[in-house]
Amino acid sequence: MNAQTTLSNLRPSLALIAIFSLCAAASAQAGFNSFKTGMFGVAIGQVARINAANLGGPDTRPIRVEMMFLDGTGAVVGRDTQMIAPGQAVFFDAGVREANRIELRAVIGASNPPEPDKNLKVTIEVFDADTGRNTVFIGDLNEHSEF
């Protein structure tokens, strides 16, 4: 193959790379923040919960959050997207249905939070479905750089 043919064959790939680069830059400019945990275990009879709160005042705009639980292979176990009004909180639950125990990690994405370190607070908990007692609590993910 000559250089002209090789370049012609690469054009579609180069165009896709350019488009993906622009999309990534646009996403970063739009103010997308994400929070991630390490793995934690959930057994039958327990519920994993992601809590997210918008601590902004009345002049603060709502924050759109996508909350997901992933298993050890990275497969999505559950996903929910919600808008959090200023001064409000939301949560998303996932329970164990098919195994005695599964390992999960939480991934939370926030679109356009005004001041994510100040206004958006995210916590994770695992609790007993019958009694409501917490067995695991992971505090504010903004304050835990290891996540």
Side-chain angles (χ1 to χ4, degrees), residues 48-65:
R49 174 174 284 178
I50 299 170
N51 301 293
N54 180 350
L55 302 180
D59 330 350
T60 307
R61 65 181 173 264
I63 301 172
R64 180 180 170 273
V65 292

Side-chain angles (χ1 to χ4, degrees), residues 103-115:
E103 299 297 315
L104 297 175
R105 63 186 173 99
V107 178
I108 302 91
S111 298
N112 231 6
E115 295 180 69

